[in-house]
Amino acid sequence: MTFPGFRHLLGVLLALSGTGPSSAEDAAVCGGKPVSVRIVEVPDGASFKLEDGRAVRLASVIPPIPIDGDPQAIIRAKEALTQIASGKTASLFLANESKDRYGRLVAQAVVLEGKTWLEAELLARGAVRVLPSANDECMKALLQFEAKARATRTGFWNDPQFGVFDAQHTDALLAAAGRFAVVEGVIRRVGESRGRVYLDFGRRFTEDFTIVVPDTVRKSLLAQGSDPKSWRGRRIRVRGIVFSWGGPAIEASIVQAIELLE
């Protein structure tokens, strides 16, 4: 599957919204101006090295990583990106020149041969999952590709440890502590304490799955006309790092980590 570049993506989103900039060069959906590069090496499922020695991490996606405890999944993700990108010329869309903790640039990327949007292609293959980012338009586009792969159980979506966790399956979630996960369920109880809202998916809040919503995130949701304190009975999908504090939990550090499913 190929994707006809950011200009077409922007056109699709603008057709849906009816507003927005008219030029992908001026305002690419996922941000940044294109920079032409050549990819020479792929060390893992979401990063590559350039001919000039720089390293790049694909933005807004996460592949299997060592903490997931599945070396074969890591190899399969690397093979997928290698097949699409190795030795190819690409355009990087850099929101800025800052680097991550490992010294890599963070960018969306389009391989010029076939005009393949790498993040979208990897999501369509089920080789990565969407990592929450603050760019709403970009998240909406990427989640559409993930949703299709998820619905057809493509790639890693057919593997229980990388698929969607049921919020009621607390044992499986506790076993996933420290890992990135996608979790779905219905909120049964809402609490508030010390500047945080707690969305509990069972009646035993010390044992059941919980989403922790910091006050800054709640304020952002309120500005959008939605209050998490009123979400009791709502079906939610959340993504992030699972941690244990009695029961399993995920802190929604940005609004985009949460999807209201109804």
Side-chain angles (χ1 to χ4, degrees):
M1 190 269 299
T2 59
F3 192 80
F6 280 90
R7 181 183 295 278
H8 179 74
L9 173 58
L10 185 61
V12 171
L13 290 173
L14 295 182
L16 293 173
S17 65
T19 62
S22 59
S23 170
E25 286 83 1
D26 294 336
V29 188
C30 292
K33 295 181 180 180
V35 178
S36 182
V37 299
R38 184 167 180 80
I39 299 168
V40 296
E41 184 182 346
V42 175
D44 60 50
S47 67
F48 47 78
K49 292 184 179 179
L50 305 179
E51 194 171 39
D52 62 11
R54 290 180 297 172
V56 178
R57 174 171 63 83
L58 293 174
S60 304
V61 295
I62 182 169
I65 58 178
I67 197 173
D68 293 318
D70 190 336
Q72 290 304 311
I74 293 172
I75 291 171
R76 292 197 302 273
K78 176 182 175 179
E79 288 174 345
L81 182 55
T82 299
Q83 180 184 23
I84 305 165
S86 186
K88 304 292 179 59
T89 300
S91 285
L92 298 184
F93 287 76
L94 295 163
N96 54 63
E97 293 288 338
S98 63
K99 298 178 180 180
D100 69 7
R101 68 178 67 182
Y102 302 108
R104 300 173 298 186
L105 295 168
V106 180
Q108 300 286 332
V110 174
V111 169
L112 299 184
E113 180 183 326
K115 297 182 180 178
T116 304
W117 184 15
L118 286 183
E119 282 88 346
E121 177 69 14
L122 292 170
L123 286 166
R125 294 185 180 205
V128 296
R129 292 165 290 175
V130 172
L131 186 68
S133 71
N135 186 324
D136 284 332
E137 298 257 294
C138 188
M139 279 288 291
K140 289 176 184 177
L142 293 172
L143 284 170
Q144 288 181 23
F145 289 97
E146 183 191 271
K148 291 178 181 178
R150 193 170 61 242
T152 55
R153 300 177 68 85
T154 299
F156 295 124
W157 293 109
N158 196 40
D159 184 334
Q161 79 162 332
F162 296 109
V164 178
F165 285 82
D166 187 323
Q168 297 301 312
H169 295 169
T170 53
D171 289 344
L173 284 165
L174 284 171
R179 295 177 47 217
F180 179 88
V182 181
V183 184
E184 286 186 18
V186 176
I187 296 170
R188 302 299 183 188
R189 179 180 178 276
V190 178
E192 183 178 13
S193 177
R194 298 182 180 180
R196 294 178 175 86
V197 172
Y198 298 92
L199 307 177
D200 298 321
F201 289 73
R203 300 190 184 282
R204 301 165 299 175
F205 65 89
T206 58
E207 299 178 27
D208 294 306
F209 178 66
T210 298
I211 300 175
V212 182
V213 182
D215 189 54
T216 52
V217 175
R218 184 191 174 211
K219 287 178 179 177
S220 296
L221 287 163
L222 286 170
Q224 297 176 10
S226 185
D227 186 353
K229 290 180 66 176
S230 69
W231 287 356
R232 182 178 177 182
R234 298 293 302 271
R235 186 166 187 82
I236 301 289
R237 181 184 300 127
V238 64
R239 59 189 67 219
I241 304 298
V242 179
F243 66 94
S244 173
W245 64 335
I250 288 177
E251 180 171 324
S253 56
I254 60 174
V255 171
Q256 291 79 5
I258 300 172
E259 298 171 74
L260 296 176
L261 299 182
E262 295 177 358

